[in-house]
Amino acid sequence: MTGPARTTGRMRAAGLVRRIRRIRPGCPIRPTRSAGPARPIRQRAAMAVLLVAGLVLPLVLAGWGTSGGRAGAGPAVRGADAAAGAGAGKGVGAGEAEAEAGDGAGPSPGHGGPDRLPPVVDHVPTRDKVVFLTYDDGAERDPRFIDLVRGRRLPVSMFLTDSVVGPGYGHFARLRSVGASLQNHTLDHPALRGLPYAGQRAEICGQQRKLGSRFGIRPHLFRPPYGTYDTTTLRAAGDCGIAAVVLWRVTLEGDGTLTYTRGAHRLTPGDIISVPAGETPALTLAERTTRLLRELEERGLRVGRLEDYVRRP
């Protein structure tokens, strides 16, 4: 290269250096004779690439991070929804299950302990001057007794045993038509105490069904034969829809006299009087009842309806 050309080349190289230094002050670029102008251009390109990369890469990374965050948020949200759904499902399902268990898993009627057993009564606490006439079995079918009940409007209670009444239900239908109530005294009149639950239930529920089919009624009072019973009797009675087990404090005997199971040996308000069926009573049913009514009048007492004082719960 000649002198002028060499000088021109140097001037051009110096000019490029000055331009690059204006872009990047202090840049240590030294021109060479063989590749003076080319090396600064490549460095400028490299710097531009680095600059673009420095600006773009954070944006790309940010974009990836955001995208990654959203992708990660998907399962997180689904997990929260699933957890909330599971919690809601558990809450609702558990509540319903507990309600059903509370409703369905409790003791059956009559098996829930003493508080569910029907009460046993032989006297009604009352200030009313009333006593209650109750007749057992259904063996005596005195036509004059029907006339007495009708004429005196006596609200008597008849505790009927199916095997004793037999074909005589028509007599008690007439009694019912004149104001008597019909109640349960078992199918076959066994002594219930000590019998298994199934046997006692069959006796009590069986008579419930009999009276229901005969008269369209469902008695709520029950008298155990001979006045004997146990806790099993009460459980069975409760299961059969019985509201109270009725005993007695006073007995009207076949000869018309009164006997007492406990307490004062005189009639008092609230007494439940039992009139059992006698095999060969000295007095008919109508005669015994008439004699008792005279004594009640002397004491200022009258006959009350037991079902009005011992009601269904």
Side-chain angles (χ1 to χ4, degrees):
M1 180 178 292
T2 62
R6 198 178 288 125
T7 302
T8 303
R10 287 175 182 162
M11 292 176 61
R12 289 179 180 174
L16 287 173
V17 170
R18 284 195 297 270
R19 291 194 194 102
I20 292 174
R21 283 180 176 171
R22 281 199 296 268
I23 298 173
R24 291 287 300 269
C27 180
I29 300 177
R30 292 196 302 267
T32 63
R33 287 184 297 181
S34 60
R39 293 181 79 181
I41 292 174
R42 286 197 298 270
Q43 288 182 359
R44 288 181 64 184
M47 290 174 59
V49 171
L50 292 175
L51 181 61
V52 171
L55 294 173
V56 173
L57 184 60
L59 295 176
V60 173
L61 292 176
W64 287 347
T66 304
S67 176
R70 291 194 187 102
V77 171
R78 286 195 297 272
D81 290 343
K90 182 179 180 182
V92 173
E96 291 175 353
E98 288 170 4
E100 291 174 1
D103 293 339
S108 60
H111 291 268
D115 58 324
R116 288 180 178 265
L117 301 180
V120 179
V121 297
D122 65 356
H123 179 91
V124 175
T126 179
R127 294 182 179 180
D128 299 338
K129 292 188 174 183
V130 295
V131 297
F132 307 100
L133 291 183
T134 64
Y135 296 78
D136 292 353
D137 303 340
E140 294 187 58
R141 300 173 200 135
D142 183 356
R144 291 173 296 176
F145 180 69
I146 297 177
D147 296 335
L148 179 64
V149 171
R150 178 192 298 111
R152 300 289 293 266
R153 298 183 178 180
L154 298 176
V156 297
S157 301
M158 315 298 295
F159 287 87
L160 302 182
T161 296
D162 180 69
S163 62
V164 175
V165 174
Y169 275 107
H171 173 81
F172 295 98
R174 290 189 290 274
L175 269 173
R176 182 169 179 260
S177 71
V178 298
S181 75
L182 307 182
Q183 303 295 338
N184 191 326
H185 197 41
T186 71
L187 282 173
D188 299 307
H189 208 270
L192 295 176
R193 184 169 58 197
L195 294 181
Y197 171 81
Q200 297 203 40
R201 179 183 173 118
E203 283 287 336
I204 301 169
C205 289
Q207 183 64 347
Q208 291 286 89
R209 288 191 293 271
K210 283 279 187 179
L211 294 174
S213 64
R214 293 272 185 176
F215 302 105
I217 61 174
R218 186 168 182 80
H220 69 280
L221 302 180
F222 169 68
R223 172 167 287 166
Y226 314 107
T228 63
Y229 68 95
D230 55 18
T231 303
T232 303
T233 309
L234 302 183
R235 287 170 51 205
D239 284 357
C240 295
I242 297 300
V245 172
V246 179
L247 302 182
W248 59 92
R249 194 185 81 84
V250 184
T251 300
L252 179 60
E253 303 291 352
D255 60 0
T257 61
L258 297 174
T259 59
Y260 301 86
T261 61
R262 63 178 183 84
H265 282 215
R266 57 182 174 81
L267 290 171
T268 60
D271 278 340
I272 298 176
I273 303 171
S274 170
V275 185
E279 293 183 2
T280 55
L283 301 173
T284 66
L285 194 59
E287 290 170 341
R288 281 177 281 160
T289 301
T290 300
R291 180 178 293 189
L292 175 61
L293 292 176
R294 286 198 293 266
E295 184 168 350
L296 293 178
E297 290 172 356
E298 292 173 2
R299 294 182 175 276
L301 300 170
R302 60 183 177 84
V303 179
R305 181 178 294 278
L306 182 60
E307 292 75 12
D308 291 342
Y309 288 81
V310 184
R311 299 183 179 182
R312 296 180 188 273

